[in-house]
Amino acid sequence: MSKKFYITTPIFYPSAKPHMGHAYTSIVADVFARIKMIDGYDVHFLTGTDEHGLKIQRAAEKANMNPLEFCDKISKTFKDLTKKLNLKNTDFIRTTEKRHFKSVQYLWDLLEKSGDIYLSKYSGWYSVSDEAFYNNDEITSKDGDNVSIVSGSKVEWVEEESYFFKLSKWQNKLLDHYKENPDFILPKSRKNEVISFVESGLKDLSISRKSISWGIKVPNNDKHVIYVWLDALTNYLSSLKYPDTKNKLYKDFWPADLHLIGKDILRFHAIYWPAFLLAAKIPLPKKIYGHGWILSGDEKMSKSKGNILDPLEIIDNYGLDPLRYYLIKEVSFGSDGNISKDKLENCINSDLANNFGNLCQRVVSFNEKNFSLSIPKKIKFQNDDLKILNKFSENLDKIRTEIDKQNLNFYIQFIVNSLFDANKYFNDQEPWSKKDDEVRLNTIVYTSLEIIRKVSIMLYPIIPESSIKALKIFDIKQNELDFSSLKDHTYLKEGKKINKIDILFKKILKK
Ligand code: MSP
């Protein structure tokens, strides 16, 4: 396989069990990964947990556990979630693993050798919740506490010896990179925020802490642990066995194609990470996409606000595929979104049960009555048939280009329109009234089956389990899925047997 694709989610803090925001990033990454997989790419899809730093140290203390035992426990809930969400991740990294220590310390050495690290003293604000340093002008006071203006989280004053990274030295190089690679940061609105922040002047970054113990030690000075973000960001390399840059994983997959993250951590990914890499002379990732938040009411979910939506609860009540479908269709990708049970139920009843599930049942049972469950023969396409079939072949390249721009909204809208067109086609063509025109009857049923095949393939990345169930009609298995076959109108072999399938989605009875 020659085409490669490397996609990452942020690695999650195992400070509390996963919530819907974590599930959202993971599901979206999975959708992109699966599209590439069925389009012939060899995909490396990385997720994992970010286990060092004060935030985790304190959470462990609160739970009366030692930090590693605490991380083992909570990291497992994130790993279990990858199964619950049916993710196709090819690696799950924990920053407490040996392979990761090796990469981080190697990268530190490189930065030191290149003259980008110096020892000095930090005095300023620190937010444990964000694991971030803030300038005076980024702080305000709220209910007697000092908080970060951007994230709203509490900050505390820190004064201690610290190693610094010469971030200021990379300011112009970063700006050049943004200019020369206009799609490096997406969406555009967020790119502009990053550019103005960098233009306003970068200060050197404190990259070690002396007062905490839970982390990776600074090589040659074990009184310091490495700043958790320098540690965490390196996970994208450790998964590829960095610093062994000759190994196949690294050679195949670095630089990463897409770091998918929430908009809250854009600064770390779009400024610090590329600056570290520039200093270490490591190629930069191709793209960083900062998606919006899943809000609970009007607010971002957080443990401290007590407004957490539990993905497991929704999956238990409604099923996984409906949740995946909802998040892709109802949350406009790039913007913030909400979970409303009412809208979720509408998605199930109208889009999934009616427009998709019922279409499959109708066409297959019509086929059973008239063709005894076999693909009709003697096919002669007319304009009406070609018009609907051609939409897929003519748009295939466009679909690929839009996906490469992370335009998930285009992708899902294409599916929604196709399902609408397919149902309309079957109704308008009235195959039941064509019994004395054999060629026409056969062609309408053939065309309807072809459309079901094509839509099911397009739906696979979003609702994998249900799509595979639908494709059982044609005996198409997961490993046989091929995006390119959307171009082919005559994929289904005349005379071949088809199968009846179980109901795909049960309607929700609304009160
Ligand atoms: N550990 C860091 C990331 C290190 S990456 C090298 C971190 N972890 S986190 O657990 O706090 O959040 C990680 C990501 O979870 C966010 O960037 C975002 O992708 C996702 N979400 C967390 N809350 C979210 C919402 N409410 N909505 C959507 N996604 C959000 O930051």
Side-chain angles (χ1 to χ4, degrees):
M1 241 190 256
S2 59
K3 297 189 290 182
K4 310 284 175 200
F5 186 72
Y6 180 20
I7 179 165
T8 64
T9 71
I11 47 171
F12 305 105
Y13 290 126
S15 50
K17 64 181 183 107
H19 61 60
M20 190 60 80
H22 305 129
Y24 178 66
T25 302
S26 305
I27 288 170
V28 171
D30 191 59
V31 171
F32 284 121
R34 284 180 190 261
I35 292 176
K36 290 296 182 186
M37 284 173 186
I38 64 170
D39 203 16
Y41 285 73
D42 192 3
V43 174
H44 191 59
F45 169 17
L46 175 66
T47 187
T49 42
D50 179 1
E51 308 190 3
H52 292 128
L54 204 47
K55 181 176 169 113
I56 302 296
Q57 189 180 310
R58 286 190 185 163
E61 276 160 17
K62 211 168 154 196
N64 250 327
M65 290 173 84
N66 89 39
L68 188 58
E69 270 170 20
F70 179 78
C71 288
D72 285 346
K73 185 174 155 215
I74 313 247
S75 175
K76 187 174 175 306
T77 65
F78 278 88
K79 198 165 189 177
D80 291 347
L81 186 73
T82 63
K83 306 275 178 299
K84 265 276 189 192
L85 299 179
N86 194 6
L87 305 186
K88 276 274 197 188
N89 58 299
T90 50
D91 193 4
F92 183 98
I93 195 159
R94 299 183 54 190
T95 54
T96 44
E97 288 174 67
K98 218 171 169 179
R99 57 173 171 159
H100 178 68
F101 273 58
K102 214 167 123 189
S103 308
V104 174
Q105 290 181 320
Y106 189 88
L107 181 62
W108 179 284
D109 278 339
L110 280 187
L111 299 179
E112 199 157 36
K113 281 191 192 117
S114 68
D116 283 272
I117 291 182
Y118 62 92
L119 187 62
S120 181
K121 191 175 163 202
Y122 179 79
S123 52
W125 298 106
Y126 192 75
S127 153
V128 178
S129 167
D130 305 342
E131 295 283 18
F133 300 96
Y134 289 108
N135 301 330
N136 269 332
D137 58 1
E138 293 175 300
I139 301 302
T140 182
S141 92
K142 194 178 159 202
D143 306 329
D145 287 319
N146 292 308
V147 298
S148 147
I149 296 173
V150 187
S151 69
S153 59
K154 273 193 210 165
V155 293
E156 45 197 81
W157 186 255
V158 173
E159 246 182 76
E160 64 183 25
E161 183 185 83
S162 169
Y163 285 95
F164 280 79
F165 172 73
K166 289 185 184 164
L167 186 61
S168 54
K169 169 176 152 190
W170 297 100
Q171 178 169 330
N172 291 335
K173 285 265 177 340
L174 285 172
L175 290 170
D176 291 347
H177 188 79
Y178 305 148
K179 202 183 264 164
E180 285 154 20
N181 301 275
D183 291 336
F184 179 62
I185 305 167
L186 284 182
K188 283 225 155 52
S189 55
R190 300 213 216 293
K191 170 171 99 172
N192 297 338
E193 280 166 31
V194 170
I195 293 181
S196 24
F197 183 81
V198 176
E199 278 172 344
S200 72
L202 292 178
K203 293 211 309 201
D204 290 350
L205 179 71
S206 163
I207 51 162
S208 77
R209 296 295 305 268
K210 211 174 169 187
S211 57
I212 72 169
S213 54
W214 180 235
I216 301 180
K217 301 259 185 280
V218 167
N220 305 321
N221 187 350
D222 61 11
K223 292 200 181 64
H224 286 252
V225 301
I226 297 175
Y227 173 41
V228 62
W229 271 100
L230 171 53
D231 166 344
L233 288 159
T234 310
N235 89 91
Y236 303 133
L237 288 169
S238 356
S239 169
L240 305 180
K241 302 191 184 158
Y242 182 85
D244 174 8
T245 53
K246 299 268 177 317
N247 91 83
K248 189 163 163 31
L249 266 178
Y250 183 89
K251 285 207 313 218
D252 281 353
F253 292 110
W254 193 260
D257 293 275
L258 178 60
H259 289 320
L260 184 70
I261 56 169
K263 62 182 181 180
D264 46 331
I265 54 174
L266 197 55
R267 196 184 281 188
F268 305 95
H269 281 81
I271 302 174
Y272 302 169
W273 182 225
F276 298 148
L277 293 171
L278 283 169
K281 299 196 173 50
I282 298 172
L284 305 197
K286 293 181 199 153
K287 191 181 289 176
I288 292 150
Y289 192 104
H291 65 66
W293 287 333
I294 302 295
L295 305 174
S296 179
D298 291 331
E299 289 187 307
K300 183 170 183 252
M301 264 171 276
S302 78
K303 203 169 69 162
S304 50
K305 286 187 193 129
N307 61 355
I308 300 294
L309 281 170
D310 184 352
L312 301 183
E313 214 177 285
I314 298 208
I315 294 171
D316 286 345
N317 285 338
Y318 294 99
L320 172 63
D321 280 354
L323 172 65
R324 292 179 57 118
Y325 183 86
Y326 177 92
L327 290 174
I328 303 301
K329 173 163 179 244
E330 297 294 334
V331 180
S332 167
F333 190 57
S335 315
D336 293 347
N338 239 300
I339 302 242
S340 120
K341 291 211 169 145
D342 201 41
K343 277 202 221 149
L344 175 60
E345 291 179 357
N346 284 344
C347 273
I348 297 174
N349 287 351
S350 150
D351 295 37
L352 296 173
N354 262 351
N355 296 351
F356 181 49
N358 200 27
L359 174 75
C360 295
Q361 296 300 341
R362 268 177 92 193
V363 174
V364 171
S365 48
F366 187 82
N367 179 297
E368 184 180 22
K369 283 194 205 105
N370 297 279
F371 300 93
S372 313
L373 292 174
S374 68
I375 309 276
K377 300 175 180 172
K378 289 193 216 155
I379 304 307
K380 213 163 165 241
F381 292 127
Q382 291 184 359
N383 274 347
D384 284 346
D385 318 316
L386 287 172
K387 204 170 127 203
I388 185 159
L389 289 168
N390 281 342
K391 278 203 182 144
F392 293 89
S393 46
E394 283 166 1
N395 278 299
L396 182 58
D397 288 333
K398 165 111 176 121
I399 293 169
R400 287 186 171 124
T401 325
E402 293 304 319
I403 279 300
D404 284 337
K405 292 193 251 171
Q406 287 66 51
N407 192 350
L408 263 189
N409 300 331
F410 174 86
Y411 189 84
I412 185 69
Q413 205 46 54
F414 189 90
I415 293 176
V416 170
N417 294 344
S418 301
L419 283 172
F420 177 85
D421 293 347
N423 280 291
K424 183 167 178 343
Y425 170 86
F426 197 69
N427 290 341
D428 290 355
Q429 295 296 324
E430 299 182 346
W432 47 89
S433 69
K434 301 280 167 18
K435 301 231 165 125
D436 44 4
D437 183 350
E438 194 192 348
V439 171
R440 195 61 210 132
L441 170 67
N442 294 8
T443 305
I444 296 167
V445 174
Y446 185 97
T447 303
S448 304
L449 288 168
E450 256 304 345
I451 298 165
I452 289 177
R453 182 185 73 84
K454 290 176 201 292
V455 181
S456 303
I457 291 178
M458 285 197 73
L459 276 167
Y460 163 79
I462 301 172
I463 48 168
E465 212 179 306
S466 315
S467 143
I468 293 293
K469 272 194 204 154
L471 287 165
K472 279 208 180 109
I473 299 173
F474 313 108
D475 269 330
I476 297 176
K477 314 239 161 24
Q478 180 160 244
N479 59 3
E480 295 163 349
L481 290 176
D482 178 4
F483 217 59
S484 303
S485 74
L486 294 178
K487 258 208 154 89
D488 188 356
H489 300 342
T490 54
Y491 182 94
L492 299 175
K493 297 294 159 258
E494 295 180 19
K496 204 180 159 227
K497 282 276 154 220
I498 62 168
N499 305 303
K500 288 214 278 191
I501 52 161
D502 296 336
I503 299 275
L504 292 175
F505 298 94
K506 285 208 188 84
K507 279 199 174 183
I508 310 278
L509 287 174
K510 289 202 169 206
K511 282 168 211 136

